[in-house]
Amino acid sequence: MHRLIDIDTEILLWINHHHAAWADNLMWVISGRLTWLPLYALLIGLLFWRFGWRRALVYVAAIVAVVGVSDWVSSGIIKHLVCRLRPTHEPLLCGQLHIVRGYVGGLYGFVSSHAANTMSVALLYTLLWTRQVVLPYRQSATCYLNVIVPIVLFLWVALNCYSRMYLGVHYPGDILGGLIVGAVTALLIYALVSFALRKKTTTLAD
C-alpha cells in the first residue's frame, strides 16, 4: 500500500515539475469549468439536430442527471469518507509542488470530481449518440460524427484530468478513482434511460 502511494506521488511530481509559463496558462484555462461552455452548447445542439427535440430533451435531462449524481458521489460522499488530503494540502509535499496562481483547491482530493464529471458526460453522451434512433434525414450526415464526437469527448476528459495533476491538486489515484465513479454513474444512468425508452415504446405499441 505504501509503495502504491509512493508511486502515486512520484507520478504526480513528475507531471507537476514539467512546467512552463505557457503551460501554466493553458492548464489553468483547461481546468476552468466555464472554459468549456461553448463545447457544452455545441453538444446539446448536436443532440437536437440529430434526434429531434423530444428525444434530445430526454438525453439532455439524462446528462444533467449524470453530472449531478457523479458530482454528489465524488464530492459529497467519497471525499468526506476517504479524507485523503490533496497534494497541495499534504505537509510532506510542502515546497515540492509548482503552484499556479496560488490555487490549492479544497482540503480533500479523492476522488477527483473533475475526472468523475467529465468521464460521466463523455461516456453517457457517447452511448446516447450511438443509439440507432436517428432522424432519417440525418443518418448519412452523421456517419463521420460517430467517430469525431467520441474522440473529442474523451480528449476533453484527458485534458481535464492532466490539467488537474499539472496544477498539483490531484494525485493520479484521485483521477483514476474519479474516472471509475464517472464511468459507473454513466452506465447506470444510461441503463435507466434505455429502460424508460423501451418501456415507453412498448406502451405505445400496446
Side-chain angles (χ1 to χ4, degrees), residues 3 18 46 66 90-91 100 114 118 183:
R3 181 54 185 157
H18 284 76
L46 283 173
V66 83
E90 172 56 62
V100 178
H114 269 74
T118 54

mmCIF file of all heavy atoms in Angstrom, residues 3 18 46 66 90-91 100 114 118 183:
data_model
loop_
_atom_site.group_PDB
_atom_site.id
_atom_site.type_symbol
_atom_site.label_atom_id
_atom_site.label_comp_id
_atom_site.label_asym_id
_atom_site.label_seq_id
_atom_site.Cartn_x
_atom_site.Cartn_y
_atom_site.Cartn_z
ATOM 1 N N ARG A 3 3.866 1.477 -1.072
ATOM 2 C CA ARG A 3 4.558 1.565 -2.350
ATOM 3 C C ARG A 3 3.659 2.204 -3.408
ATOM 4 O O ARG A 3 4.114 3.002 -4.228
ATOM 5 C CB ARG A 3 5.002 0.170 -2.802
ATOM 6 C CG ARG A 3 5.766 0.167 -4.128
ATOM 7 C CD ARG A 3 6.945 1.123 -4.104
ATOM 8 N NE ARG A 3 7.608 1.221 -5.396
ATOM 9 C CZ ARG A 3 8.338 2.252 -5.785
ATOM 10 N NH1 ARG A 3 8.501 3.294 -4.965
ATOM 11 N NH2 ARG A 3 8.917 2.257 -6.963
ATOM 12 N N HIS A 18 7.227 19.215 -14.691
ATOM 13 C CA HIS A 18 7.447 19.528 -16.100
ATOM 14 C C HIS A 18 6.496 20.666 -16.480
ATOM 15 O O HIS A 18 5.444 20.464 -17.081
ATOM 16 C CB HIS A 18 7.221 18.295 -16.982
ATOM 17 C CG HIS A 18 8.341 17.309 -16.918
ATOM 18 N ND1 HIS A 18 8.520 16.461 -15.838
ATOM 19 C CD2 HIS A 18 9.362 17.046 -17.783
ATOM 20 C CE1 HIS A 18 9.593 15.707 -16.054
ATOM 21 N NE2 HIS A 18 10.122 16.035 -17.211
ATOM 22 N N LEU A 46 -26.097 19.477 -31.090
ATOM 23 C CA LEU A 46 -25.981 18.287 -31.924
ATOM 24 C C LEU A 46 -27.053 17.259 -31.581
ATOM 25 O O LEU A 46 -27.570 16.568 -32.479
ATOM 26 C CB LEU A 46 -24.596 17.657 -31.757
ATOM 27 C CG LEU A 46 -23.439 18.358 -32.480
ATOM 28 C CD1 LEU A 46 -22.111 17.736 -32.091
ATOM 29 C CD2 LEU A 46 -23.646 18.312 -33.992
ATOM 30 N N VAL A 66 -26.597 12.856 -14.792
ATOM 31 C CA VAL A 66 -25.354 12.121 -14.579
ATOM 32 C C VAL A 66 -24.288 13.017 -13.955
ATOM 33 O O VAL A 66 -23.495 12.570 -13.121
ATOM 34 C CB VAL A 66 -24.855 11.492 -15.902
ATOM 35 C CG1 VAL A 66 -24.066 12.463 -16.762
ATOM 36 C CG2 VAL A 66 -24.006 10.252 -15.628
ATOM 37 N N GLU A 90 -0.923 18.469 1.510
ATOM 38 C CA GLU A 90 -0.131 17.420 2.160
ATOM 39 C C GLU A 90 1.157 18.028 2.722
ATOM 40 O O GLU A 90 1.990 18.537 1.974
ATOM 41 C CB GLU A 90 0.204 16.327 1.142
ATOM 42 C CG GLU A 90 1.170 15.273 1.643
ATOM 43 C CD GLU A 90 0.685 14.597 2.907
ATOM 44 O OE1 GLU A 90 -0.372 13.959 2.854
ATOM 45 O OE2 GLU A 90 1.380 14.744 3.943
ATOM 46 N N PRO A 91 1.334 17.971 4.057
ATOM 47 C CA PRO A 91 2.527 18.567 4.681
ATOM 48 C C PRO A 91 3.844 18.017 4.124
ATOM 49 O O PRO A 91 4.826 18.760 4.000
ATOM 50 C CB PRO A 91 2.372 18.208 6.164
ATOM 51 C CG PRO A 91 0.892 18.043 6.351
ATOM 52 C CD PRO A 91 0.400 17.446 5.071
ATOM 53 N N VAL A 100 0.195 27.047 -9.332
ATOM 54 C CA VAL A 100 -0.169 28.030 -10.353
ATOM 55 C C VAL A 100 -1.206 28.999 -9.788
ATOM 56 O O VAL A 100 -2.269 28.580 -9.319
ATOM 57 C CB VAL A 100 -0.729 27.335 -11.607
ATOM 58 C CG1 VAL A 100 -1.162 28.366 -12.650
ATOM 59 C CG2 VAL A 100 0.309 26.381 -12.193
ATOM 60 N N HIS A 114 -13.607 16.531 -11.083
ATOM 61 C CA HIS A 114 -13.380 16.884 -12.482
ATOM 62 C C HIS A 114 -13.344 15.611 -13.341
ATOM 63 O O HIS A 114 -13.984 15.543 -14.389
ATOM 64 C CB HIS A 114 -12.055 17.638 -12.646
ATOM 65 C CG HIS A 114 -12.169 19.123 -12.543
ATOM 66 N ND1 HIS A 114 -12.368 19.763 -11.334
ATOM 67 C CD2 HIS A 114 -12.110 20.106 -13.482
ATOM 68 C CE1 HIS A 114 -12.417 21.070 -11.543
ATOM 69 N NE2 HIS A 114 -12.267 21.307 -12.834
ATOM 70 N N THR A 118 -16.434 14.759 -15.975
ATOM 71 C CA THR A 118 -16.136 14.731 -17.408
ATOM 72 C C THR A 118 -16.293 13.323 -17.987
ATOM 73 O O THR A 118 -16.832 13.154 -19.082
ATOM 74 C CB THR A 118 -14.719 15.264 -17.701
ATOM 75 O OG1 THR A 118 -13.760 14.542 -16.923
ATOM 76 C CG2 THR A 118 -14.625 16.746 -17.390
ATOM 77 N N ALA A 183 -17.581 6.609 -14.885
ATOM 78 C CA ALA A 183 -17.982 5.547 -15.808
ATOM 79 C C ALA A 183 -19.156 4.740 -15.257
ATOM 80 O O ALA A 183 -20.116 4.450 -15.980
ATOM 81 C CB ALA A 183 -16.790 4.627 -16.077
#
